[in-house]
Amino acid sequence: MGLIVRELLKWENLQPVKLVAGEEGLDNEIKGATIIEAPDIVKFINGGEILLTGLYAFRYDSLDDVERRIGELERKKISGLIFKRGRDVESAEEKIGLFKEYAKKCGIPMLEVTFDVSFKDIMRLIMEELFSEEVKRLKYFKTTRDNFEALILSLSSHEDGIEKFLHVLYKLLGNPAAVYEQNGVCLGRTKKSPENYRVVEGPHEFEPEAASNYCYMKQRIYLEAEDRKVDQYLVTMKKIWGTKLYLVVTEMGPKLDVMDYIAIEGAVSALQYEISRRYAVAEMEKKYQNDLLHGILSGEACSAEEIKRSTRLLGMSIDKVYQVIVFGLEYKDGKSPEDINMRMNDVNVLRESVKKCLSDSIIQSDFDKVVVVREEWDAQKEREFRSLLQADRKRIQNLIKDAKKSFVVKAGIGRKAEGVINLKNSYREDKISLNMSDPNKL
C-alpha cells in the first residue's frame, strides 16, 4: 500500500495536527490531493483524494447546501479531509459539525491543522510522496484548473468574478495580484496589493519554470511603505475586444516556484473568460443605452410613450433642462488612423476618459465622437458651468495622455433643452462646433 492518512499525523510540517473524527479510516490510501476553493469542485473529484478546505468555499452556503455537497462527497469515496479555521464563514461551527457527522458515518479521517499551515505546501508534500516531478506538475495543473472552472460555474450574475479569482490566486501564491487594462485602468486587485511603489529596474522578458501560453515580464520595484525592493511579474493576457490586459503579481511574500506558475496559468484562463463575459455584457448595455439616447437625440423616438420609456430607462427626467456636449478627436496634422479598429479603440479610450470625469451624465459613443447629455445648471451659473467644463476637458486630455494616446480632445456645447423632447434641437450637429481644443474658443 502507498501513502495512508495515518502517516500525515506524524509529519512535522503539519504539526500541531489533530484527529477530529473518522479514526477507523486512518488506513485509507491517499491517491491524490485537492484544495477546495469552490464548492462545485466536488464534481471534478475522481475518488481517493484527500481534500483540503478552510471552509471559505462554503462561506455563503446554507446548511442544507452543505449537506447536499457532503452527499455528493459520499458517492466519491474520498480518503480523508483536512480543514482549518480562521476565515469569516457563516455558521462555521455548524458546518464543521456536518462534516464531522459525515466523517464518523463514512469512516473518513477528518484532520484539523492551524491556520498558518499552507494547503499548497501540504499538497506539495503529498504529491512528492505519490508522483514523479512531471506527474506532480500535471496533477497540480489539473486541480488548480478544476478549482477555477468550478468557481466559474458557481458564479452568479451579480458577483465579481475577477475579485474571486484573484482572491483564490492570492491564497495559492501567498502574494498579491491585480488585473490592469493597457491604459492603466485596474479591473480588480487583492487587498494587499502594493499602492505606493516605483520601478527601479525596468521590465524584461522572463521565462517561467512551467510551460506557458503567455508572455511574462519581470521588473524590480521599491515599496516605499516597507522600504524594500521586490520582484513584480507582468503576464500579458490575450487581447479581449481589442484591449490588452495584464495580470500583475507582486512577490511580497514567498518566492514564486513552478507550482505557482502553474496556478497563474489557471488563473489567467479563468480571468480571460470572466473579462470576456464582462466586456460582452458591457457592450450590450452600452449599445442598448446608445440606441435609446440616439432615438431621443435624432428625434426618431416620436411618440410620447416611447420618449417616456426611453427617459425612464436612461434615468433621466422628462421635464428637466438638459444640455448636450460633444467630444471629438483631432489628430496631429489632421491624419487620423487608416485602421478602423485603431480609430474605434481611440473613441473607446475617449469614452472611458469622459466617463471618469463626467460620471453623473448620460454618455453615448458614436463612430468618431462621444456625446454627453448633462443636466443644465441655473442660467446665472452658465459662466461657471463653462469654466468647469473646460477643466473637465483638460482632465480628459490628461487621461488620454496617460493612456499613451496622441490625439487632442475637442468639445462643443449645444443649446439648452427645456425637457427631454427638445434635446434633438440641442444636438443638431450643424449647431455644435467642436472647437474646444483651444481654451479661448469655448
Side-chain angles (χ1 to χ4, degrees):
M1 182 177 284
L3 180 67
I4 60 174
V5 178
R6 187 184 302 277
E7 293 177 40
L8 302 186
L9 294 171
K10 303 173 186 176
W11 284 5
E12 290 184 8
N13 306 69
L14 270 63
Q15 302 304 320
V17 59
K18 180 172 66 174
L19 176 64
V20 175
E23 182 177 359
E24 58 271 34
L26 282 174
D27 290 325
N28 288 349
E29 183 179 1
I30 299 172
K31 296 180 179 178
T34 297
I35 301 173
I36 301 178
E37 296 291 2
D40 286 336
I41 190 63
V42 175
K43 298 174 182 176
F44 297 87
I45 294 170
N46 297 318
E49 296 97 336
I50 189 161
L51 304 184
L52 300 84
T53 180
L55 298 179
Y56 192 73
F58 308 101
R59 65 195 181 283
Y60 299 132
D61 279 5
S62 67
L63 295 179
D64 288 340
D65 287 336
V66 174
E67 278 194 295
R68 178 174 55 79
R69 297 189 191 284
I70 288 174
E72 295 173 358
L73 277 181
E74 287 187 34
R75 294 189 291 274
K76 296 287 185 174
K77 296 182 180 178
I78 64 172
S79 62
L81 180 72
I82 300 177
F83 82 100
K84 58 184 177 181
R85 308 169 196 259
R87 292 284 180 186
D88 184 16
V89 177
E90 293 178 5
S91 306
E93 291 306 315
E94 290 87 342
K95 291 171 182 177
I96 291 172
L98 291 174
F99 278 103
K100 283 183 182 178
E101 289 177 17
Y102 155 66
K104 291 175 182 177
K105 173 185 172 184
C106 299
I108 301 297
M110 183 174 177
L111 312 181
E112 181 177 1
V113 295
T114 56
F115 183 73
D116 59 341
V117 174
S118 166
F119 280 158
K120 186 186 77 172
D121 290 343
I122 296 176
M123 277 198 67
R124 185 201 306 272
L125 290 167
I126 292 173
M127 288 182 170
E128 284 175 351
E129 287 284 333
L130 297 177
F131 312 117
S132 66
E133 182 65 25
E134 184 177 353
V135 175
K136 182 183 79 172
R137 294 186 184 190
L138 288 172
K139 290 284 187 181
Y140 191 65
F141 174 79
K142 181 182 184 306
T143 191
T144 52
R145 289 293 287 262
D146 286 350
N147 261 298
F148 282 118
E149 188 172 337
L151 197 54
I152 288 172
L153 295 173
S154 67
L155 286 174
S156 60
S157 58
H158 65 277
E159 287 183 294
D160 187 339
I162 295 176
E163 182 181 300
K164 282 181 173 289
F165 297 142
L166 290 177
H167 176 78
V168 170
L169 185 62
Y170 173 74
K171 289 203 293 178
L172 293 174
L173 306 183
N175 286 297
V179 175
Y180 288 90
E181 287 184 349
Q182 61 190 25
N183 54 10
V185 175
C186 181
L187 299 183
R189 59 194 295 169
T190 53
K191 290 181 180 178
K192 295 186 179 180
S193 295
E195 294 184 3
N196 298 316
Y197 67 87
R198 56 185 172 84
V199 178
V200 292
E201 292 179 23
H204 57 273
E205 285 193 23
F206 171 78
E207 193 71 33
E209 296 175 49
S212 175
N213 294 318
Y214 308 100
C215 173
Y216 282 67
M217 302 289 284
K218 182 179 178 180
Q219 63 186 17
R220 191 82 169 159
I221 64 171
Y222 173 71
L223 302 174
E224 296 180 3
E226 302 182 22
D227 188 27
R228 65 184 178 116
K229 296 176 183 178
V230 298
D231 288 328
Q232 190 174 68
Y233 299 84
L234 293 77
V235 186
T236 305
M237 300 162 69
K238 293 174 183 176
K239 280 189 175 182
I240 298 176
W241 294 68
T243 302
K244 193 177 288 186
L245 300 157
Y246 301 91
L247 171 64
V248 179
V249 176
T250 306
E251 208 171 52
M252 297 174 69
K255 292 286 185 182
L256 298 186
D257 60 22
V258 62
M259 292 179 75
D260 293 324
Y261 297 122
I262 291 171
I264 287 172
E265 293 289 307
V268 169
S269 296
L271 285 165
Q272 289 186 154
Y273 170 85
E274 172 62 16
I275 294 169
S276 294
R277 185 195 66 79
R278 182 181 291 193
Y279 271 57
V281 171
E283 285 298 313
M284 286 179 64
E285 290 176 346
K286 187 164 66 177
K287 184 180 185 309
Y288 184 57
Q289 187 185 70
N290 276 358
D291 290 346
L292 292 175
L293 191 57
H294 176 77
I296 291 173
L297 295 176
S298 63
E300 292 177 8
C302 308
S303 70
E305 268 316 304
E306 196 174 349
I307 291 174
K308 284 181 182 178
R309 176 178 172 275
S310 296
T311 300
R312 184 176 68 254
L313 291 171
L314 288 167
M316 300 170 68
S317 176
I318 196 78
D319 297 322
K320 284 189 177 179
V321 178
Y322 292 96
Q323 196 160 30
V324 178
I325 308 162
V326 177
F327 292 94
L329 301 76
E330 184 176 273
Y331 292 92
K332 188 176 181 181
D333 301 326
K335 295 180 179 178
S336 61
E338 294 182 5
D339 187 335
I340 186 66
N341 290 323
M342 288 180 64
R343 188 170 178 83
M344 291 302 295
N345 179 259
D346 287 348
V347 173
N348 285 334
V349 170
L350 175 60
R351 184 184 190 278
E352 291 305 309
S353 301
V354 170
K355 192 175 178 181
K356 284 184 180 179
C357 297
L358 303 173
S359 57
D360 58 342
S361 305
I362 308 297
I363 301 171
Q364 176 199 37
S365 298
D366 209 334
F367 175 71
D368 59 352
K369 59 184 175 292
V370 174
V371 181
V372 177
V373 177
R374 204 175 188 185
E375 191 176 330
E376 178 56 285
W377 288 14
D378 187 291
Q380 295 178 351
K381 296 184 178 180
E382 187 169 343
R383 183 179 295 276
E384 185 180 350
F385 172 82
R386 288 175 174 265
S387 175
L388 285 171
L389 186 58
Q390 180 60 45
D392 285 334
R393 188 203 67 81
K394 290 179 180 177
R395 286 174 59 210
I396 292 166
Q397 185 67 65
N398 287 333
L399 289 172
I400 299 298
K401 288 180 181 177
D402 290 343
K404 295 181 171 52
K405 297 292 182 178
S406 58
F407 60 80
V408 175
V409 179
K410 303 187 296 178
I413 307 174
R415 61 187 181 186
K416 290 184 292 184
E418 301 281 346
V420 170
I421 197 169
N422 293 312
L423 266 174
K424 60 182 182 291
N425 300 322
S426 177
Y427 180 61
R428 285 184 177 169
E429 294 180 83
D430 58 337
K431 300 294 183 182
I432 298 180
S433 176
L434 293 176
N435 56 16
M436 196 173 161
S437 54
D438 182 346
N440 299 316
K441 292 184 180 180
L442 178 62

